[in-house]
Amino acid sequence: MKSGKIFIISGPSGSGKTTLCEKVLQETNIKKRIIKMVSVTTRQKRAGEKLGRDYFFVSKKMFLYKKRRGHFLESKKVFDNYYGTPKRVVKETLSRGKDVLLCIDVKGAKDVVKIFPAAITIFVRTPSFADLKNRLAGRGSENKKTTDLRLKTAKSEMKEEKKYKYIVINDNLSKAIKELEEIMLDEIIV
Ligand code: ADP
Ligand code: 5GP
């Protein structure tokens, strides 16, 4: 059986990765064709997030144990917390011929591309830095310290966007969903 493809979505915190992935997977023709991988993290669960749907929330001790046991395809410390992509489920899904979606940071994306050079990379960003600030503030999930860290990191992440195969500017949400859907459908049928 032909192996599935890997889609990687990166972008600054607040650029809309989670929203876009959720909408594309729920509302478009991509539904059922691509499976989003659920990462493991040590960060605190946000209001509305669900264990096993948004992330597997674990303690730092458990994360490091899993890392030592080779549980992750890649893992990184992002904004003072650990995040990792479970290896087994990615490999099993690909070997079933299904495509997978990883929503991971730019450093993790680099590691995955080293292992899977054919991975399709998509960078999501806002039209301007001011929009990013407003969206992050509007989400209401961060305090002053974590906001500053996320915005500071955004500047270095944005320098990496040229290395991505596609850049989606998340201005009007419906348009961005459509664009992401088109990219994915186009890559699926190649
Ligand atoms: P990320 O996953 O990249 O950190 P989110 O998906 O959590 O970003 O989006 C950050 C905030 O911006 C959320 O409150 C979300 O509802 C909002 N948002 C996402 N896309 C848009 C858009 N196109 N226009 C306005 N607000 C948006
Ligand atoms: P958040 O805390 O906002 O959910 O995510 C913070 C950052 O961690 C985002 O850039 C997100 O894409 C990234 N991230 C989420 N899961 C993973 C993962 O498994 N690996 C890596 N390297 N980054 C991840």
Side-chain angles (χ1 to χ4, degrees), residues 139-176:
R139 190 170 70 193
S141 58
E142 308 303 319
N143 59 37
K144 164 97 175 78
K145 188 172 163 240
T146 60
T147 299
D148 289 350
L149 182 58
R150 283 171 185 251
L151 290 175
K152 190 175 152 219
T153 309
K155 296 206 165 149
S156 56
E157 289 171 316
M158 276 148 79
K159 289 187 187 140
E160 299 291 310
E161 71 175 32
K162 288 184 202 74
K163 295 181 187 153
Y164 281 69
K165 183 166 183 186
Y166 300 98
I167 299 176
V168 172
I169 299 175
N170 180 18
D171 188 357
N172 175 286
L173 184 59
S174 312
K175 274 194 190 156

mmCIF file of all heavy atoms in Angstrom, residues 139-176:
data_model
loop_
_atom_site.group_PDB
_atom_site.id
_atom_site.type_symbol
_atom_site.label_atom_id
_atom_site.label_comp_id
_atom_site.label_asym_id
_atom_site.label_seq_id
_atom_site.Cartn_x
_atom_site.Cartn_y
_atom_site.Cartn_z
ATOM 1 N N ARG A 139 -7.385 35.999 22.425
ATOM 2 C CA ARG A 139 -7.598 34.605 22.859
ATOM 3 C C ARG A 139 -7.689 34.520 24.369
ATOM 4 O O ARG A 139 -8.341 33.626 24.909
ATOM 5 C CB ARG A 139 -6.471 33.716 22.319
ATOM 6 C CG ARG A 139 -6.741 32.235 22.521
ATOM 7 C CD ARG A 139 -5.747 31.370 21.775
ATOM 8 N NE ARG A 139 -4.415 31.441 22.362
ATOM 9 C CZ ARG A 139 -3.315 30.996 21.782
ATOM 10 N NH1 ARG A 139 -3.380 30.443 20.591
ATOM 11 N NH2 ARG A 139 -2.140 31.092 22.381
ATOM 12 N N GLY A 140 -6.993 35.429 25.050
ATOM 13 C CA GLY A 140 -7.107 35.509 26.511
ATOM 14 C C GLY A 140 -6.462 34.360 27.261
ATOM 15 O O GLY A 140 -6.798 34.106 28.412
ATOM 16 N N SER A 141 -5.539 33.665 26.622
ATOM 17 C CA SER A 141 -4.948 32.490 27.268
ATOM 18 C C SER A 141 -3.623 32.796 27.957
ATOM 19 O O SER A 141 -3.115 31.980 28.720
ATOM 20 C CB SER A 141 -4.701 31.405 26.213
ATOM 21 O OG SER A 141 -3.843 31.909 25.198
ATOM 22 N N GLU A 142 -3.056 33.980 27.670
ATOM 23 C CA GLU A 142 -1.695 34.245 28.129
ATOM 24 C C GLU A 142 -1.634 35.383 29.149
ATOM 25 O O GLU A 142 -2.451 36.296 29.114
ATOM 26 C CB GLU A 142 -0.801 34.619 26.927
ATOM 27 C CG GLU A 142 -0.854 33.635 25.761
ATOM 28 C CD GLU A 142 -0.502 32.218 26.137
ATOM 29 O OE1 GLU A 142 0.450 32.030 26.930
ATOM 30 O OE2 GLU A 142 -1.178 31.288 25.657
ATOM 31 N N ASN A 143 -0.615 35.329 30.041
ATOM 32 C CA ASN A 143 -0.343 36.473 30.911
ATOM 33 C C ASN A 143 0.742 37.320 30.251
ATOM 34 O O ASN A 143 1.195 37.005 29.153
ATOM 35 C CB ASN A 143 0.061 36.003 32.323
ATOM 36 C CG ASN A 143 1.301 35.109 32.285
ATOM 37 O OD1 ASN A 143 2.211 35.349 31.482
ATOM 38 N ND2 ASN A 143 1.328 34.091 33.123
ATOM 39 N N LYS A 144 1.147 38.395 30.930
ATOM 40 C CA LYS A 144 2.101 39.340 30.323
ATOM 41 C C LYS A 144 3.408 38.614 29.944
ATOM 42 O O LYS A 144 3.936 38.776 28.836
ATOM 43 C CB LYS A 144 2.345 40.476 31.336
ATOM 44 C CG LYS A 144 3.550 41.351 31.085
ATOM 45 C CD LYS A 144 3.151 42.623 30.341
ATOM 46 C CE LYS A 144 4.306 43.600 30.158
ATOM 47 N NZ LYS A 144 5.232 43.283 29.115
ATOM 48 N N LYS A 145 3.880 37.763 30.869
ATOM 49 C CA LYS A 145 5.175 37.102 30.645
ATOM 50 C C LYS A 145 5.097 36.147 29.447
ATOM 51 O O LYS A 145 5.960 36.156 28.563
ATOM 52 C CB LYS A 145 5.553 36.330 31.923
ATOM 53 C CG LYS A 145 6.943 35.772 31.885
ATOM 54 C CD LYS A 145 7.338 35.191 33.244
ATOM 55 C CE LYS A 145 8.528 34.278 33.058
ATOM 56 N NZ LYS A 145 8.271 32.909 33.475
ATOM 57 N N THR A 146 4.039 35.331 29.400
ATOM 58 C CA THR A 146 3.955 34.353 28.302
ATOM 59 C C THR A 146 3.617 35.044 26.971
ATOM 60 O O THR A 146 4.057 34.602 25.920
ATOM 61 C CB THR A 146 2.953 33.209 28.609
ATOM 62 O OG1 THR A 146 1.658 33.771 28.804
ATOM 63 C CG2 THR A 146 3.346 32.412 29.828
ATOM 64 N N THR A 147 2.882 36.162 27.050
ATOM 65 C CA THR A 147 2.593 36.918 25.817
ATOM 66 C C THR A 147 3.909 37.451 25.246
ATOM 67 O O THR A 147 4.191 37.304 24.047
ATOM 68 C CB THR A 147 1.648 38.109 26.102
ATOM 69 O OG1 THR A 147 0.422 37.593 26.602
ATOM 70 C CG2 THR A 147 1.358 38.909 24.842
ATOM 71 N N ASP A 148 4.718 38.074 26.119
ATOM 72 C CA ASP A 148 5.987 38.653 25.656
ATOM 73 C C ASP A 148 6.875 37.589 25.030
ATOM 74 O O ASP A 148 7.475 37.808 23.980
ATOM 75 C CB ASP A 148 6.726 39.328 26.822
ATOM 76 C CG ASP A 148 6.021 40.617 27.245
ATOM 77 O OD1 ASP A 148 5.109 41.045 26.510
ATOM 78 O OD2 ASP A 148 6.376 41.174 28.301
ATOM 79 N N LEU A 149 6.929 36.433 25.682
ATOM 80 C CA LEU A 149 7.780 35.354 25.168
ATOM 81 C C LEU A 149 7.278 34.866 23.805
ATOM 82 O O LEU A 149 8.061 34.656 22.867
ATOM 83 C CB LEU A 149 7.794 34.197 26.178
ATOM 84 C CG LEU A 149 8.659 32.989 25.855
ATOM 85 C CD1 LEU A 149 10.117 33.394 25.659
ATOM 86 C CD2 LEU A 149 8.560 31.945 26.959
ATOM 87 N N ARG A 150 5.962 34.716 23.680
ATOM 88 C CA ARG A 150 5.382 34.231 22.415
ATOM 89 C C ARG A 150 5.598 35.248 21.288
ATOM 90 O O ARG A 150 5.891 34.877 20.165
ATOM 91 C CB ARG A 150 3.897 33.882 22.603
ATOM 92 C CG ARG A 150 3.722 32.541 23.307
ATOM 93 C CD ARG A 150 2.306 32.216 23.723
ATOM 94 N NE ARG A 150 2.316 30.964 24.480
ATOM 95 C CZ ARG A 150 1.834 29.798 24.050
ATOM 96 N NH1 ARG A 150 1.256 29.694 22.885
ATOM 97 N NH2 ARG A 150 1.914 28.707 24.806
ATOM 98 N N LEU A 151 5.482 36.537 21.618
ATOM 99 C CA LEU A 151 5.668 37.560 20.573
ATOM 100 C C LEU A 151 7.139 37.691 20.180
ATOM 101 O O LEU A 151 7.474 37.867 19.003
ATOM 102 C CB LEU A 151 5.110 38.912 21.040
ATOM 103 C CG LEU A 151 3.580 38.967 21.131
ATOM 104 C CD1 LEU A 151 3.124 40.296 21.715
ATOM 105 C CD2 LEU A 151 2.931 38.749 19.757
ATOM 106 N N LYS A 152 8.020 37.568 21.167
ATOM 107 C CA LYS A 152 9.461 37.643 20.876
ATOM 108 C C LYS A 152 9.849 36.470 19.966
ATOM 109 O O LYS A 152 10.554 36.633 18.959
ATOM 110 C CB LYS A 152 10.224 37.581 22.205
ATOM 111 C CG LYS A 152 11.686 37.892 22.069
ATOM 112 C CD LYS A 152 12.363 37.931 23.428
ATOM 113 C CE LYS A 152 13.813 37.547 23.256
ATOM 114 N NZ LYS A 152 14.300 36.709 24.327
ATOM 115 N N THR A 153 9.355 35.281 20.304
ATOM 116 C CA THR A 153 9.669 34.090 19.500
ATOM 117 C C THR A 153 9.084 34.216 18.096
ATOM 118 O O THR A 153 9.673 33.734 17.123
ATOM 119 C CB THR A 153 9.114 32.826 20.208
ATOM 120 O OG1 THR A 153 9.551 32.843 21.554
ATOM 121 C CG2 THR A 153 9.580 31.548 19.543
ATOM 122 N N ALA A 154 7.918 34.878 17.990
ATOM 123 C CA ALA A 154 7.260 35.030 16.678
ATOM 124 C C ALA A 154 8.204 35.683 15.674
ATOM 125 O O ALA A 154 8.239 35.313 14.500
ATOM 126 C CB ALA A 154 5.995 35.862 16.819
ATOM 127 N N LYS A 155 8.996 36.649 16.149
ATOM 128 C CA LYS A 155 9.892 37.370 15.226
ATOM 129 C C LYS A 155 10.912 36.414 14.608
ATOM 130 O O LYS A 155 11.186 36.477 13.412
ATOM 131 C CB LYS A 155 10.583 38.518 15.957
ATOM 132 C CG LYS A 155 9.574 39.548 16.414
ATOM 133 C CD LYS A 155 10.139 40.928 16.558
ATOM 134 C CE LYS A 155 8.990 41.918 16.647
ATOM 135 N NZ LYS A 155 9.230 43.081 17.440
ATOM 136 N N SER A 156 11.471 35.519 15.423
ATOM 137 C CA SER A 156 12.455 34.575 14.852
ATOM 138 C C SER A 156 11.757 33.496 14.027
ATOM 139 O O SER A 156 12.287 33.045 13.003
ATOM 140 C CB SER A 156 13.336 33.972 15.937
ATOM 141 O OG SER A 156 12.539 33.360 16.903
ATOM 142 N N GLU A 157 10.550 33.095 14.447
ATOM 143 C CA GLU A 157 9.812 32.089 13.659
ATOM 144 C C GLU A 157 9.493 32.627 12.262
ATOM 145 O O GLU A 157 9.571 31.905 11.266
ATOM 146 C CB GLU A 157 8.501 31.718 14.361
ATOM 147 C CG GLU A 157 8.693 30.893 15.619
ATOM 148 C CD GLU A 157 7.407 30.730 16.417
ATOM 149 O OE1 GLU A 157 6.669 31.714 16.598
ATOM 150 O OE2 GLU A 157 7.152 29.619 16.883
ATOM 151 N N MET A 158 9.149 33.920 12.199
ATOM 152 C CA MET A 158 8.756 34.502 10.910
ATOM 153 C C MET A 158 9.930 34.553 9.924
ATOM 154 O O MET A 158 9.716 34.564 8.711
ATOM 155 C CB MET A 158 8.106 35.870 11.107
ATOM 156 C CG MET A 158 6.615 35.705 11.442
ATOM 157 S SD MET A 158 5.942 36.936 12.512
ATOM 158 C CE MET A 158 5.694 38.269 11.422
ATOM 159 N N LYS A 159 11.136 34.533 10.455
ATOM 160 C CA LYS A 159 12.317 34.503 9.560
ATOM 161 C C LYS A 159 12.416 33.157 8.833
ATOM 162 O O LYS A 159 13.135 33.027 7.858
ATOM 163 C CB LYS A 159 13.586 34.750 10.371
ATOM 164 C CG LYS A 159 13.703 36.175 10.845
ATOM 165 C CD LYS A 159 15.044 36.435 11.496
ATOM 166 C CE LYS A 159 15.055 37.829 12.099
ATOM 167 N NZ LYS A 159 15.711 37.884 13.390
ATOM 168 N N GLU A 160 11.729 32.165 9.340
ATOM 169 C CA GLU A 160 11.805 30.816 8.758
ATOM 170 C C GLU A 160 10.761 30.586 7.668
ATOM 171 O O GLU A 160 10.771 29.560 7.003
ATOM 172 C CB GLU A 160 11.596 29.761 9.853
ATOM 173 C CG GLU A 160 12.626 29.792 10.956
ATOM 174 C CD GLU A 160 13.983 29.342 10.473
ATOM 175 O OE1 GLU A 160 14.077 28.289 9.841
ATOM 176 O OE2 GLU A 160 14.969 30.091 10.721
ATOM 177 N N GLU A 161 9.835 31.529 7.503
ATOM 178 C CA GLU A 161 8.685 31.254 6.622
ATOM 179 C C GLU A 161 9.082 30.944 5.182
ATOM 180 O O GLU A 161 8.420 30.167 4.513
ATOM 181 C CB GLU A 161 7.637 32.374 6.690
ATOM 182 C CG GLU A 161 8.061 33.663 6.041
ATOM 183 C CD GLU A 161 6.943 34.709 6.037
ATOM 184 O OE1 GLU A 161 6.125 34.735 6.958
ATOM 185 O OE2 GLU A 161 6.917 35.503 5.082
ATOM 186 N N LYS A 162 10.185 31.518 4.732
ATOM 187 C CA LYS A 162 10.601 31.298 3.336
ATOM 188 C C LYS A 162 11.008 29.861 3.078
ATOM 189 O O LYS A 162 11.052 29.405 1.940
ATOM 190 C CB LYS A 162 11.758 32.228 2.980
ATOM 191 C CG LYS A 162 11.329 33.673 2.841
ATOM 192 C CD LYS A 162 12.500 34.544 2.398
ATOM 193 C CE LYS A 162 12.270 35.990 2.754
ATOM 194 N NZ LYS A 162 12.422 36.268 4.207
ATOM 195 N N LYS A 163 11.333 29.143 4.138
ATOM 196 C CA LYS A 163 11.754 27.746 3.975
ATOM 197 C C LYS A 163 10.552 26.812 3.799
ATOM 198 O O LYS A 163 10.709 25.632 3.516
ATOM 199 C CB LYS A 163 12.570 27.297 5.181
ATOM 200 C CG LYS A 163 13.872 28.059 5.291
ATOM 201 C CD LYS A 163 14.699 27.604 6.471
ATOM 202 C CE LYS A 163 15.907 28.519 6.631
ATOM 203 N NZ LYS A 163 16.375 28.565 8.013
ATOM 204 N N TYR A 164 9.348 27.356 3.997
ATOM 205 C CA TYR A 164 8.140 26.529 3.888
ATOM 206 C C TYR A 164 7.649 26.506 2.445
ATOM 207 O O TYR A 164 7.811 27.480 1.711
ATOM 208 C CB TYR A 164 7.053 27.076 4.828
ATOM 209 C CG TYR A 164 7.313 26.638 6.256
ATOM 210 C CD1 TYR A 164 8.394 27.138 6.970
ATOM 211 C CD2 TYR A 164 6.511 25.692 6.866
ATOM 212 C CE1 TYR A 164 8.666 26.715 8.275
ATOM 213 C CE2 TYR A 164 6.772 25.259 8.161
ATOM 214 C CZ TYR A 164 7.841 25.771 8.864
ATOM 215 O OH TYR A 164 8.101 25.335 10.145
ATOM 216 N N LYS A 165 7.058 25.398 2.065
ATOM 217 C CA LYS A 165 6.578 25.286 0.678
ATOM 218 C C LYS A 165 5.431 26.259 0.419
ATOM 219 O O LYS A 165 5.333 26.845 -0.649
ATOM 220 C CB LYS A 165 6.144 23.834 0.404
ATOM 221 C CG LYS A 165 5.710 23.622 -1.029
ATOM 222 C CD LYS A 165 5.609 22.160 -1.408
ATOM 223 C CE LYS A 165 5.254 22.023 -2.879
ATOM 224 N NZ LYS A 165 4.999 20.622 -3.243
ATOM 225 N N TYR A 166 4.549 26.420 1.399
ATOM 226 C CA TYR A 166 3.397 27.318 1.250
ATOM 227 C C TYR A 166 3.327 28.286 2.431
ATOM 228 O O TYR A 166 3.677 27.912 3.553
ATOM 229 C CB TYR A 166 2.083 26.529 1.238
ATOM 230 C CG TYR A 166 1.959 25.523 0.124
ATOM 231 C CD1 TYR A 166 2.247 24.178 0.348
ATOM 232 C CD2 TYR A 166 1.554 25.912 -1.152
ATOM 233 C CE1 TYR A 166 2.131 23.236 -0.676
ATOM 234 C CE2 TYR A 166 1.431 24.988 -2.174
ATOM 235 C CZ TYR A 166 1.727 23.655 -1.929
ATOM 236 O OH TYR A 166 1.608 22.739 -2.936
ATOM 237 N N ILE A 167 2.844 29.495 2.137
ATOM 238 C CA ILE A 167 2.560 30.453 3.213
ATOM 239 C C ILE A 167 1.078 30.823 3.109
ATOM 240 O O ILE A 167 0.612 31.218 2.028
ATOM 241 C CB ILE A 167 3.418 31.732 3.088
ATOM 242 C CG1 ILE A 167 4.915 31.387 3.189
ATOM 243 C CG2 ILE A 167 3.032 32.748 4.166
ATOM 244 C CD1 ILE A 167 5.850 32.574 2.974
ATOM 245 N N VAL A 168 0.352 30.640 4.200
ATOM 246 C CA VAL A 168 -1.067 31.035 4.214
ATOM 247 C C VAL A 168 -1.196 32.260 5.112
ATOM 248 O O VAL A 168 -0.819 32.214 6.293
ATOM 249 C CB VAL A 168 -1.962 29.879 4.737
ATOM 250 C CG1 VAL A 168 -3.402 30.359 4.925
ATOM 251 C CG2 VAL A 168 -1.919 28.693 3.794
ATOM 252 N N ILE A 169 -1.681 33.347 4.541
ATOM 253 C CA ILE A 169 -1.899 34.549 5.350
ATOM 254 C C ILE A 169 -3.327 34.495 5.887
ATOM 255 O O ILE A 169 -4.291 34.541 5.121
ATOM 256 C CB ILE A 169 -1.631 35.827 4.530
ATOM 257 C CG1 ILE A 169 -0.165 35.814 4.055
ATOM 258 C CG2 ILE A 169 -1.914 37.076 5.369
ATOM 259 C CD1 ILE A 169 0.224 36.937 3.132
ATOM 260 N N ASN A 170 -3.417 34.349 7.185
ATOM 261 C CA ASN A 170 -4.731 34.180 7.814
ATOM 262 C C ASN A 170 -5.330 35.556 8.131
ATOM 263 O O ASN A 170 -5.230 36.036 9.252
ATOM 264 C CB ASN A 170 -4.586 33.318 9.076
ATOM 265 C CG ASN A 170 -5.908 33.109 9.783
ATOM 266 O OD1 ASN A 170 -6.982 33.296 9.204
ATOM 267 N ND2 ASN A 170 -5.834 32.709 11.051
ATOM 268 N N ASP A 171 -5.940 36.152 7.099
ATOM 269 C CA ASP A 171 -6.583 37.460 7.280
ATOM 270 C C ASP A 171 -8.077 37.190 7.469
ATOM 271 O O ASP A 171 -8.556 37.036 8.587
ATOM 272 C CB ASP A 171 -6.281 38.320 6.037
ATOM 273 C CG ASP A 171 -6.727 39.753 6.215
ATOM 274 O OD1 ASP A 171 -7.308 40.065 7.259
ATOM 275 O OD2 ASP A 171 -6.510 40.559 5.292
ATOM 276 N N ASN A 172 -8.782 37.027 6.340
ATOM 277 C CA ASN A 172 -10.186 36.619 6.429
ATOM 278 C C ASN A 172 -10.218 35.103 6.673
ATOM 279 O O ASN A 172 -9.643 34.340 5.890
ATOM 280 C CB ASN A 172 -10.874 36.983 5.108
ATOM 281 C CG ASN A 172 -12.294 36.481 5.069
ATOM 282 O OD1 ASN A 172 -12.538 35.287 4.920
ATOM 283 N ND2 ASN A 172 -13.228 37.383 5.209
ATOM 284 N N LEU A 173 -10.874 34.688 7.757
ATOM 285 C CA LEU A 173 -10.802 33.275 8.154
ATOM 286 C C LEU A 173 -11.336 32.328 7.078
ATOM 287 O O LEU A 173 -10.687 31.324 6.754
ATOM 288 C CB LEU A 173 -11.536 33.066 9.492
ATOM 289 C CG LEU A 173 -11.451 31.662 10.079
ATOM 290 C CD1 LEU A 173 -10.015 31.238 10.343
ATOM 291 C CD2 LEU A 173 -12.252 31.570 11.381
ATOM 292 N N SER A 174 -12.501 32.658 6.494
ATOM 293 C CA SER A 174 -13.084 31.753 5.485
ATOM 294 C C SER A 174 -12.152 31.586 4.284
ATOM 295 O O SER A 174 -12.001 30.483 3.759
ATOM 296 C CB SER A 174 -14.412 32.281 4.969
ATOM 297 O OG SER A 174 -15.208 32.648 6.033
ATOM 298 N N LYS A 175 -11.516 32.694 3.890
ATOM 299 C CA LYS A 175 -10.597 32.622 2.748
ATOM 300 C C LYS A 175 -9.389 31.756 3.088
ATOM 301 O O LYS A 175 -8.917 30.975 2.258
ATOM 302 C CB LYS A 175 -10.107 34.027 2.384
ATOM 303 C CG LYS A 175 -11.017 34.762 1.448
ATOM 304 C CD LYS A 175 -10.274 35.968 0.889
ATOM 305 C CE LYS A 175 -11.232 36.861 0.135
ATOM 306 N NZ LYS A 175 -10.777 38.240 0.051
ATOM 307 N N ALA A 176 -8.882 31.917 4.303
ATOM 308 C CA ALA A 176 -7.697 31.139 4.716
ATOM 309 C C ALA A 176 -8.040 29.639 4.797
ATOM 310 O O ALA A 176 -7.233 28.789 4.400
ATOM 311 C CB ALA A 176 -7.174 31.651 6.048
#
